[in-house]
Amino acid sequence: MTATAAERAAMTHALEIARRGPRGLNPQVGAVILSPTGDVLAEGWHRGAGTPHAEVDALSKLAPAELRGATAVVTLEPCNHTGRTGPCAQALIDAGVARVVYALDDPGVRSGGGAERMRAAGLDVVAGEQADAAEALIGDWLTVQRLGRPHVTVKWAQSLDGRAAAADGSSQWITGPAARADVHRRRAAADAIIVGTGTVLADDPALTARDGDALLPRQPVPVVIGARETPAEAAVRRHPHAPLFYTEHDLTAILADLRDRGIQRVFVEGGPTLASAFLAEGLMDEVLAYLAPVLIGGPKLALGDIGVSSIGEARRLVVDEWLPLGPDLLAIARPAAAQAAAAADEAAENDATVNAVPADENTSRNDPSRSEGEA
């Protein structure tokens, strides 16, 4: 069973209106209700924790007679449990909707299963319509649900010969203004920015997201990892958000704590030691490598030991985009599919050891929202 042309168009629109909802611990979800002839009757989107889900928001705009035999097009599988709101799968059944088309399965243990419930009630259900676009929209939330930790982006800037700094340690600036502006835009999209104490002591970064000298409206929470003391006069202590300091080096436990604080996307740019540690432990969902057309030489490599001792152990990546930024080039990459699956399996096996709250209990669509280096 596949989606019709009208349903495909409705899904495209549902993905667009989903972005109107707040980005946070709950996924951005959109819904469109179609008449039996394919005309748009209503639309809705999720406006935050405790508010009606997208499907219910759309249903509320129609009279019962208009819903009989209608089709609901939703960007995420209608939920199947009661939290601060009721199960959307049952709401669609009760409304008399005849057909549901959705993009992504809900990965929650409790909240998933809505499709099965609707099929059992006699509804036609089509899954997977524009799944890739839906996953791109709520990838952070899905990572938290599937792996029990925030989505991790590891960023570094390097010369063409793979150096992050000159022999004397100086690194400002390897890349040009366009690349540095891109970094700041991406910082603003993250919930937290992570560095090590070595970077704090060497560079005294503010860890803010800026447009020139002006702070951008959205700022990541600064996170500093390391046993060494951060000076009282350090720029990071003047950040708009109070910094979080971790003296231990258990990255899995740190990510679990950040997840429990409501952080879904972290941006790691704390120098070669920290970046290498995240890569070595497989705690990486995305790489941003800024390549500058300069040669530096010397010992200051952009990455250190990442646990690869032979070419067969190399961490294979899929490059999603090569983005020119003035004279520089940004490689946006992610782990190859096999490695991503292996990392997910390992995370599931280790879940009990990190004291993690089950993801569906921690960040389901019915849970209340909690708190929200240089190139």
Side-chain angles (χ1 to χ4, degrees):
M1 191 181 300
T2 60
T4 66
E7 290 164 353
R8 289 194 293 272
M11 182 64 77
T12 298
H13 184 59
L15 289 165
E16 291 172 354
I17 62 175
R19 292 178 171 83
R20 300 177 187 174
R23 180 178 169 274
L25 276 177
N26 294 276
Q28 293 171 301
V29 180
V32 174
I33 308 296
L34 300 178
S35 72
T37 57
D39 297 319
V40 175
L41 297 177
E43 63 183 39
W45 62 92
H46 186 46
R47 291 170 171 78
T51 66
H53 290 181
E55 305 93 314
V56 174
D57 182 40
L59 292 174
S60 69
K61 299 171 183 176
L62 297 171
E66 296 176 283
L67 290 165
R68 297 297 173 186
T71 295
V73 178
V74 194
T75 59
L76 184 65
E77 178 186 12
C79 66
N80 193 37
H81 80 296
T82 300
R84 293 182 67 176
T85 60
C88 294
Q90 190 60 50
L92 291 167
I93 294 168
D94 294 342
V97 167
R99 180 174 165 91
V100 175
V101 178
Y102 71 89
L104 287 175
D105 291 332
D106 188 324
V109 175
R110 291 187 303 149
S111 56
E116 182 179 352
R117 183 174 187 166
M118 292 184 295
R119 288 190 180 103
L123 278 65
D124 291 333
V125 179
V126 178
E129 173 59 32
Q130 299 185 43
D132 288 347
E135 179 137 9
L137 175 66
I138 60 171
D140 301 354
W141 181 82
L142 289 169
T143 298
V144 174
Q145 301 302 304
R146 292 166 177 168
L147 301 181
R149 62 161 175 79
H151 182 282
V152 176
T153 295
V154 178
K155 167 264 173 185
W156 67 83
Q158 67 174 64
S159 63
L160 204 56
D161 56 347
R163 269 61 182 179
D168 65 356
S170 59
S171 61
Q172 298 181 341
W173 300 102
I174 290 176
T175 55
R180 297 198 296 274
D182 184 78
V183 169
H184 283 278
R185 286 192 295 270
R186 294 178 189 276
R187 283 183 180 182
D191 300 317
I193 179 170
I194 303 180
V195 299
T197 51
T199 294
V200 171
L201 295 174
D203 298 336
D204 193 26
L207 301 184
T208 50
R210 303 184 300 277
D211 180 4
D213 293 331
L215 293 178
L216 291 171
R218 192 174 190 277
Q219 294 291 321
V221 174
V223 177
V224 180
I225 299 175
R228 288 181 286 180
E229 181 68 23
T230 298
E233 66 276 11
V236 69
R237 293 189 181 274
R238 299 190 295 275
H239 193 283
H241 295 298
L244 299 174
F245 297 99
Y246 296 91
T247 57
E248 73 272 21
H249 291 82
D250 185 338
L251 298 181
T252 300
I254 290 170
L255 289 175
D257 184 67
L258 292 175
R259 176 207 62 200
D260 291 344
R261 292 174 181 268
I263 289 171
Q264 290 198 97
R265 175 177 282 272
V266 300
F267 198 73
V268 178
E269 58 169 306
T273 300
L274 191 63
S276 300
F278 272 90
L279 293 173
E281 295 190 28
L283 298 172
M284 176 271 293
D285 303 294
E286 180 182 53
V287 161
L288 301 177
Y290 293 82
L291 311 177
V294 298
L295 301 175
I296 297 176
K300 303 292 187 179
L301 295 173
L303 289 178
D305 182 8
I306 61 170
V308 173
S309 58
S310 69
I311 195 65
E313 299 173 351
R315 306 300 176 91
R316 303 289 178 181
L317 303 175
V318 175
V319 177
D320 291 324
E321 186 176 5
W322 292 98
L323 181 63
L325 295 166
D328 306 314
L329 190 63
L330 169 61
I332 304 173
R334 54 185 166 80
Q339 288 184 319
D345 290 342
E346 182 179 349
E349 292 172 5
N350 293 337
D351 186 64
T353 69
V354 297
N355 243 359
V357 176
D360 67 295
E361 295 181 13
N362 186 38
T363 55
S364 81
R365 288 198 280 167
N366 280 326
D367 281 343
S369 291
R370 286 163 287 186
S371 62
E372 287 274 31
E374 306 292 340

